[in-house]
Amino acid sequence: MAAACTHQDIVFEGNAVGWAPSGAATALSLHHEHDPARLPTSGVGHGHKPTGRYVLAAGRADVDDGLCQAIPVGALKPRVTYRVAGWISVAAAAGEVAAAEGAGHAVHVSIRVGVDGSRVIDGGAVCAEPGRWAEIKGAFRLTEESLSLRGAAAVVHVHGAPAGVDVKVMDLRIIATDRKARFSHLKNKTDKVRKRDVMLKFGSGQAAAGASVRVVQVDNAFPFGSCINCEVINIPAFADFFTAHFDWAVFENELKWYWTEAQRGQLNYADADRLLDFCDRAGKPARGHCIFWAVDGDVQQWLKDIPSNDDRGRAGLAAAVDSRLRGLLGRYAGRFPHYDVNNEMLHGRFFRDRLGDAVAPRMFRDAAALDPAAKLFVNDYNVECGNDPAATPEKYVQLIRDLQRGGAKVGGIGLQGHVANPVGEVVCDALDKLADATGLPVWITELDVREPDVALRADDLEVVLREVYAHPAVEGVVLWGFMEGHMWRPDAALVGADGVPNEAGRRFLELRREWKTDAGGRVDGDGVFRFRGFHGTYVAQITTAKGKMIKAFTVDKGNEALVLDMGV
């Protein structure tokens, strides 16, 4: 049976005892992976090496068939974020054709509560390839209401691959996350990534010795932004909060093709121009989101109506693509430092299905020619969550490499960040894999944290922000809105309709203050004032016997101490 262990882990042992088949034809058996080369590496935050013992569920007649096990009463607590961790593999049944290399099957882990198991909570999913072990890294959280429905016990259920495909489960655990321990680790990491030692030198040494110095950071080099639209910029509370607390903008819809050309040949750039004027007045750069959108459901009807089953139709669609590129980038060349070129290619193939895979890198090549100064991004969702088989870091890396082989100058990786129940170690693992494999900068481009309980929302927001701020590959964060009643996802706001921050908004502001340096002291006998500060712009107030003076300076990234002559 499953049993509680240290650190509040719930361990589902690598044997058939305690597991029950789901599905009348499903049979369970115990096996051992004896070949060390076939064993997976240690997991993200799993804390244990793989044992090699696994349970095989064979004879599955339906996608919902698999294996399940009761979770002990009282083992799960409300308001706690739990990790589902372990390894999953699949093996085709007799006569079944194995999946192609890199394809695999989606296997899901769910938590079922209620006497009849009717309440199903997603615990994660993974794309498992035949003959290979894939780590599952999902997360979930239960409410008091969910736990009150459970009856005798909750149940963990592993299922989802097509009927006839055997499913293997190794070392499955449910792990309670420890935010405080993770945050302690991240503070040390943040200090290394975002700070630098600074030496301010004052004159001849003894002449300035004892002078009082106050150093205040004006701006952090790490930008935070938010999406805006033509409605919210006319709301004083929104405009005031945005101007005071954000450094970048992105247009929610007004630059998208379905907005600027809803009807063929009828162009509307007035809304985008209005938002650009607002950004110019506020002194905020804006990301260009997006030139194209790969998902069929987000493509306007007139584009869908262009036939693609013959050369003439494909030529017509290609001409429309070229017109969009020339019209948008020709009009705004130099205005948008970033562009999301073809949004959500992990989840959609509208243009590639009709014009061939070569169209995707061509979009990047043509965009680079039209606006050479802009960084061109890929942009997608769920990559940082570890629970979407279509959007793993490995698949994102493969997409980027395919684009680069086609001549695309990919300038950055966009992770949208529409999250729930985020786990820091999982977010960091995705960032590590993307950065190590590509060497490209990462931006969190559309962050929102959905959680009805605003106190938990604040905690979740802090999990994501601390994780990405501590990671050296991340160069900026853009929120997908912040005001109640004016957000794409409900239960994600940071401020009320009156502009007053809620607990999540206050947490955001606290972190921004934490990540700014304010230091003071006196010049030493060598005429030097030393401090360690976050990268960004500063002013220093120096008070000597002759009076006060103000000096401005910038702390850039660097491993060596920054030495600045104050000329006093």
Side-chain angles (χ1 to χ4, degrees):
M1 290 290 292
C5 69
T6 59
H7 307 298
Q8 302 181 8
D9 288 12
I10 301 169
V11 182
F12 301 93
E13 296 292 350
N15 57 61
V17 178
W19 286 104
S22 59
T26 304
L28 305 185
S29 55
L30 176 65
H31 300 267
H32 197 286
E33 190 73 84
H34 293 286
D35 183 357
R38 296 173 64 89
L39 281 174
T41 57
S42 295
V44 177
H46 195 275
H48 299 268
K49 293 181 179 179
T51 63
R53 298 189 302 272
Y54 66 90
V55 178
L56 173 70
R60 299 172 57 253
D62 186 79
V63 293
D64 204 40
D65 292 350
L67 58 165
C68 58
Q69 187 169 158
I71 299 173
V73 174
L76 297 178
K77 307 296 182 183
R79 299 171 59 83
V80 175
T81 301
Y82 289 96
R83 282 266 324 278
V84 174
W87 292 275
I88 307 290
S89 186
V90 294
E96 184 81 8
V97 177
E101 179 75 15
H105 299 294
V107 178
H108 299 263
V109 175
S110 59
I111 312 301
R112 304 198 172 191
V113 295
V115 176
D116 58 356
S118 59
R119 185 76 173 269
V120 180
I121 298 167
D122 179 27
V126 67
C127 184
E129 298 178 28
R132 297 183 181 182
W133 290 100
E135 184 183 8
I136 189 161
K137 295 174 286 189
F140 69 94
R141 187 160 57 213
L142 299 179
T143 63
E144 288 89 345
E145 179 188 11
S146 296
L147 286 170
S148 70
L149 294 173
R150 69 185 180 186
V155 172
V156 62
H157 183 208
V158 184
H159 59 103
V165 175
D166 298 346
V167 174
K168 306 175 183 179
V169 180
M170 183 190 295
D171 300 345
L172 193 67
R173 292 172 180 263
I174 293 178
I175 304 169
T177 59
D178 187 341
R179 291 191 309 112
K180 290 184 178 179
R182 184 66 182 175
F183 290 171
S184 178
H185 163 75
L186 290 176
K187 283 189 176 182
N188 295 328
K189 187 177 176 183
T190 297
D191 185 88
K192 295 177 181 178
V193 171
R194 303 293 173 193
K195 283 186 170 183
R196 187 177 183 181
D197 289 324
V198 182
M199 297 173 57
L200 304 182
K201 298 184 68 174
F202 295 90
S204 59
Q206 290 297 328
S212 174
V213 180
R214 171 80 183 280
V215 171
V216 177
Q217 188 170 3
V218 179
D219 288 306
N220 195 302
F222 186 98
F224 288 87
S226 173
C227 76
I228 60 175
N229 60 48
C230 283
E231 178 185 3
V232 296
I233 63 171
N234 293 318
I235 301 173
F238 183 100
D240 290 346
F241 193 90
F242 171 82
T243 303
H245 300 296
F246 292 99
D247 312 300
W248 279 58
V250 65
F251 304 167
E252 188 168 10
N253 296 303
E254 286 82 351
L255 209 65
K256 293 170 182 172
W257 197 0
Y258 68 67
W259 190 282
T260 63
E261 196 176 3
Q263 303 298 323
R264 189 169 195 175
Q266 298 179 21
L267 298 176
N268 168 31
Y269 290 116
D271 294 332
D273 289 346
R274 191 175 300 117
L275 292 179
L276 265 181
D277 289 343
F278 172 81
C279 292
D280 288 344
R281 291 194 302 273
K284 315 291 185 182
R287 302 190 74 251
H289 176 78
C290 51
I291 304 175
F292 301 103
W293 201 336
V295 178
D296 285 48
D298 297 293
V299 175
Q300 60 269 50
Q301 188 60 46
W302 68 262
L303 268 177
K304 294 179 180 179
D305 291 341
I306 298 175
S308 58
N309 56 353
D310 57 42
D311 291 344
R312 183 177 179 180
R314 287 188 289 272
L317 180 57
V321 167
D322 292 340
S323 178
R324 165 65 171 174
L325 280 162
R326 291 194 306 271
L328 181 68
L329 278 76
R331 181 184 183 90
Y332 294 117
R335 299 301 307 275
F336 293 101
H338 296 175
Y339 276 108
D340 297 327
V341 176
N342 190 9
N343 198 40
E344 298 176 0
M345 283 188 283
L346 292 175
H347 293 91
R349 292 185 49 89
F350 178 85
F351 297 99
R352 287 176 289 172
D353 283 346
R354 289 157 177 79
L355 298 175
D357 287 344
V359 71
R362 183 169 67 81
M363 289 171 171
F364 277 80
R365 295 197 309 269
D366 292 351
L370 288 162
D371 194 349
K375 282 188 177 182
L376 305 179
F377 278 67
V378 290
N379 193 52
D380 225 304
Y381 62 91
N382 285 353
V383 180
E384 72 289 334
C385 298
N387 62 358
D388 184 349
T392 64
E394 291 81 5
K395 289 186 177 180
Y396 212 11
V397 169
Q398 187 60 51
L399 172 67
I400 293 166
R401 287 175 173 165
D402 289 343
L403 289 168
Q404 290 171 331
R405 277 193 289 269
K409 294 182 179 179
V410 181
I413 300 172
L415 299 181
Q416 291 184 10
H418 300 294
V419 301
N421 310 323
V423 175
E425 293 88 341
V426 175
V427 174
C428 182
D429 179 61
L431 293 169
D432 284 346
K433 288 176 177 176
L434 293 171
D436 292 346
T438 70
L440 292 171
V442 178
W443 277 62
I444 311 303
T445 55
E446 304 180 20
L447 177 63
D448 56 21
V449 178
R450 184 175 184 176
E451 168 55 55
D453 186 321
V454 72
L456 289 177
R457 189 187 313 164
D459 291 343
D460 288 347
L461 180 66
E462 185 175 4
V463 165
V464 179
L465 291 183
R466 285 198 183 278
E467 206 66 52
V468 300
Y469 190 72
H471 200 283
V474 181
E475 294 190 353
V477 172
V478 179
L479 304 185
W480 204 243
F482 57 84
M483 178 172 277
E484 184 179 352
H486 300 280
M487 296 190 69
W488 176 58
R489 292 210 303 174
D491 300 324
L494 306 189
V495 305
D498 56 1
V500 176
N502 57 28
E503 188 167 350
R506 291 193 295 272
R507 191 75 57 87
F508 170 73
L509 297 178
E510 288 167 5
L511 288 171
R512 294 225 62 183
R513 286 191 292 269
E514 179 183 324
W515 295 328
K516 277 190 176 179
T517 299
D518 187 334
R522 295 193 176 275
V523 178
D524 64 21
D526 297 323
V528 176
F529 175 73
R530 294 173 171 84
F531 73 98
R532 185 169 178 82
F534 289 101
H535 307 141
T537 58
Y538 287 77
V539 293
Q541 177 178 285
I542 304 101
T543 305
T544 68
K546 296 179 180 179
K548 295 181 181 180
M549 61 192 72
I550 302 293
K551 295 282 187 178
F553 60 95
T554 299
V555 177
D556 296 317
K557 292 181 181 179
N559 295 323
E560 303 296 327
L562 177 64
V563 180
L564 298 171
D565 188 348
M566 294 288 99
V568 178

